[in-house]
Amino acid sequence: MARPRKQTYTLDMYLKKNKKGDIDNNAEVQRNFVWNKEQINELVVTVLTDDYIPPIILGEEEDSKLHIVDGGCRTSALIMYKYGNHKITSSIENSLIPYKKKVVDEDGRVIYEDAVFDIKNKTYEKLPEELKEKFDEYQIETVIHECSDSSRISKYIKRYNNHVAMNTDQKAFTYIDKFAGCIRKILDSRFFVECNNYSEKDKTKGVVERIVVETMMCMNHFDNWKTQAKAACKYLNHHATQEEFDVFADNLHRLERIVTDDIKEIFNKKDSFVFLTLFDRFTKLGAEDKKFAEFLRVFKTETRFTSRNEKGLLFDEIDKDLSTKDKQVITDKLNMLENLMAGFLRREEEPEDVSIESFVAGNLGLDIGLVRDNIDFYEECLTDLTDQSIRDGSRLLQKENHASLLAMFVYSFENNVDLKDWLTQYASGHNTYFADQKKNFLHMKAEFEKYEKARRAVQSVLGGSHGG
C-alpha cells in the first residue's frame, strides 16, 4: 500500500471544500462536535498568529471523495468562525492580535504599519481586511490515506483518536510556566516518590502538580486562596517567588527524613497540602522535626477520632457539608491541627508540675514568694492590657500561651515599660507561637527590645531635629 501523501491547502480553500462536500466531516463512526468556546478561541488565535496546527488526517475513496479521519472538531470550529457568525468570547486570553495594517501615506504610496486588533467579542466579519486575509491564507496541512473505503476509514478513526485529552489539572499546569521546571524538580524529590499515599494514576493525571500548587498557595498566599486549579496556577505565576519554592523544597527534604511507612498515608491527594502547610508552620516553632512525626502518629491513632474543634466537629467532619477546597474548611482544619499540635508539644516539653508562679519567677529571676503574693494583681493588670491591645480570637490569647504572656507583662512591670502599642502590633502580626513557653517568652522579649530600640532611635532623631 502506498504511503499517505501530504497536501497543503490555504485555510479558505480547505473550508470551501468542506462546505461543497468535497471533504466530508460526517463519517458514521466520527464523534460529534465536543469543543467548548475556550477551545474555539484558542484555535482562532493560533491561526491569526500563524502558529502551528497539527495536520488534518483524511481518507480518500476511489472516487476521490475525502473523509476527515482526525481533525473533525478543528474543522467544525474553523467553519463556525468563518461562516457561522461565531463570536470570540470575552474570557479569551491573549486577545490582542498584531498585524500589518495597510495605509496610504500623504504621497499616495501604500505602506504597512504595525497595528493591534482586539478580537474579544468579534466575529470573522468584524476582523480588519488584513486579518481576514491572514486567516484565509493560513496554510493548513493534511495527510491523505488513499484507496480508503468505509471500513478502512473507521479503522483510521479509531487509530488516530486513540488518545486522552488533557484533564483539568493537567491543563491548569500550563498556566504556571514560570515555575513549571522548578515544580517538576520538586516532584522528583524522595517525598513525592516514596513518602506519600498517591496512586500511580494520581502521578500521571496531574494530581501531584496540583498538590504542589495548593501547598504554595496555602503556605504563602492564603489571603488570595483560589479554589480552582487554573486560577491558582495563574496567580502563582505572577506572584510567587523562587525563594518560596526553595523553602518548600527544603521542607520536603526535612520530611523525607522523618516520614515513615506508618504515617505516610496522611499525605494523600485530599489533605496533603493541609499537612504540608502545617509542617511549614511547625518549622517556625523551633522544635525538633521528629516531634512532628510523633504528633502525626498520635493524630492518626488517637486525636483524629476523639478530639473535636470549637464547632464540635471531628477533623474528618469539617468538610462534610462543603468542598475540601473551601477556604473556611481549610482554615478550620489548620486551626484544629495547630491547636492539637500545640497541646501535644506542650505536654512533651513542659513538666506538668511547674506552676505559673514558678514559671514567672524562674524566667525573670524574681523571688517566688513575691510573685506568689502579687499573682492576682499581675493577672488583673494583664487582663486590662490585653482587653485594650489584642483583638478577640488572637492565638496569643489562647491558654497555652498564657504563661509566656503573663511573664511578658511582669517583665514590663519590673522594668517600667509600656507594652500596649507593641503588643497590638505583635499579636496582629503573629499567628504561630512556640509551644515551649520559655522559648515563647524569650522570643517576645527579644522582639520587644528591638521595638524599643527602634522607637528610641526615632525619638532621638526627632528630638535632635527640633533642637536644631
Side-chain angles (χ1 to χ4, degrees), residues 369-420:
L370 176 66
V371 173
R372 188 176 290 117
D373 290 342
N374 289 290
I375 193 67
D376 290 340
F377 168 74
Y378 294 151
E379 293 280 12
E380 184 178 341
C381 291
L382 177 62
T383 298
D384 291 341
L385 174 63
T386 55
D387 284 346
Q388 298 174 45
S389 57
I390 304 179
R391 60 176 176 79
D392 289 341
S394 170
R395 294 180 66 85
L396 188 55
L397 292 177
Q398 294 180 346
K399 62 181 181 179
E400 55 262 33
N401 292 316
H402 182 70
S404 56
L405 187 57
L406 181 64
M408 194 64 208
F409 167 74
V410 177
Y411 163 83
S412 70
F413 180 80
E414 292 294 321
N415 290 276
N416 195 29
V417 291
D418 187 1
L419 287 183
K420 182 180 177 182

Side-chain angles (χ1 to χ4, degrees), residues 195-240:
C195 305
N196 57 73
N197 194 36
Y198 314 137
S199 68
E200 288 304 312
K201 186 177 180 180
D202 294 336
K203 295 176 182 179
T204 60
K205 294 290 187 180
V207 173
V208 288
E209 287 88 345
R210 172 173 55 79
I211 289 169
V212 173
V213 169
E214 289 170 345
T215 305
M216 293 300 296
M217 284 294 299
C218 201
M219 278 175 51
N220 305 292
H221 304 277
F222 192 58
D223 287 346
N224 295 288
W225 174 257
K226 311 294 181 186
T227 303
Q228 300 299 320
K230 175 181 172 181
C233 287
K234 291 173 70 174
Y235 182 88
L236 289 178
N237 209 45
H238 289 92
H239 297 93

Side-chain angles (χ1 to χ4, degrees), residues 9-158:
Y9 300 96
T10 64
L11 184 52
D12 180 59
M13 181 185 297
Y14 175 76
L15 297 182
K16 282 179 178 177
K17 282 182 172 291
N18 273 267
K19 284 200 73 180
K20 291 190 300 180
D22 295 337
I23 298 176
D24 179 58
N25 194 16
N26 295 298
E28 293 177 355
V29 297
Q30 184 67 274
R31 66 177 176 175
N32 293 325
F33 185 72
V34 294
W35 277 23
N36 57 38
K37 292 180 179 180
E38 182 180 347
Q39 290 170 297
I40 300 174
N41 290 348
E42 292 299 324
L43 182 64
V44 172
V45 169
T46 300
V47 171
L48 293 177
T49 56
D50 203 29
D51 276 345
Y52 178 71
I53 295 176
I56 305 292
I57 310 299
L58 305 173
E60 184 180 51
E61 294 185 314
E62 290 187 4
D63 63 359
S64 298
K65 178 74 175 277
L66 295 166
H67 298 270
I68 296 178
V69 169
D70 184 56
C73 288
R74 280 171 279 166
T75 301
S76 295
L78 292 168
I79 288 174
M80 287 170 62
Y81 187 66
K82 175 71 183 284
Y83 301 113
N85 204 35
H86 177 81
K87 185 183 294 184
I88 299 297
T89 65
S90 59
S91 62
I92 184 176
E93 299 181 32
N94 306 316
S95 66
L96 299 177
I97 307 298
Y99 70 102
K100 293 293 185 180
K101 183 178 182 180
K102 184 165 63 175
V103 297
V104 179
D105 69 8
E106 57 187 16
D107 296 324
R109 294 176 302 179
V110 175
I111 61 174
Y112 292 88
E113 296 180 345
D114 290 332
V116 174
F117 184 77
D118 191 345
I119 63 172
K120 280 183 181 177
N121 301 311
K122 302 296 193 304
T123 63
Y124 171 84
E125 291 302 326
K126 296 294 184 181
L127 296 178
E129 289 302 317
E130 294 86 350
L131 282 181
K132 287 182 181 177
E133 289 179 7
K134 192 171 186 180
F135 183 91
D136 291 342
E137 294 172 1
Y138 182 85
Q139 300 293 291
I140 193 82
E141 298 179 8
T142 67
V143 175
I144 302 173
H145 289 275
E146 300 174 345
C147 303
S148 299
D149 56 17
S150 61
S151 176
R152 190 170 292 278
I153 288 171
S154 296
K155 184 183 76 172
Y156 289 145
I157 289 174
K158 288 196 290 267

Side-chain angles (χ1 to χ4, degrees), residues 222 225 227 273 322-332:
F222 192 58
W225 174 257
T227 303
F273 75 99
L322 294 169
S323 165
T324 58
K325 302 300 185 290
D326 184 87
K327 188 174 182 180
Q328 188 59 54
V329 167
I330 299 165
T331 299
D332 290 347

Side-chain angles (χ1 to χ4, degrees), residues 333-376:
K333 284 185 175 182
L334 282 170
N335 284 344
M336 182 177 188
L337 288 169
E338 284 193 270
N339 287 335
L340 290 174
M341 186 169 67
F344 169 81
L345 293 175
R346 188 170 62 254
R347 290 192 299 273
E348 289 285 304
E349 297 182 11
E350 289 187 3
E352 294 183 2
D353 59 350
V354 174
S355 66
I356 191 73
E357 294 91 344
S358 298
F359 180 86
V360 172
N363 283 285
L364 294 175
L366 300 175
D367 178 75
I368 190 170
L370 176 66
V371 173
R372 188 176 290 117
D373 290 342
N374 289 290
I375 193 67
D376 290 340

Side-chain angles (χ1 to χ4, degrees), residues 214-276:
E214 289 170 345
T215 305
M216 293 300 296
M217 284 294 299
C218 201
M219 278 175 51
N220 305 292
H221 304 277
F222 192 58
D223 287 346
N224 295 288
W225 174 257
K226 311 294 181 186
T227 303
Q228 300 299 320
K230 175 181 172 181
C233 287
K234 291 173 70 174
Y235 182 88
L236 289 178
N237 209 45
H238 289 92
H239 297 93
T241 67
Q242 186 59 50
E243 289 74 17
E244 290 170 352
F245 279 94
D246 291 342
V247 168
F248 181 46
D250 183 63
N251 286 353
L252 293 175
H253 293 319
R254 292 170 65 171
L255 283 167
E256 290 166 3
R257 294 191 283 268
I258 61 171
V259 174
T260 48
D261 287 345
D262 61 318
I263 55 175
K264 71 179 186 180
E265 66 188 63
I266 286 175
F267 296 96
N268 54 49
K269 66 180 181 181
K270 176 184 174 184
D271 286 321
S272 268
F273 75 99
V274 173
F275 286 96
L276 290 169

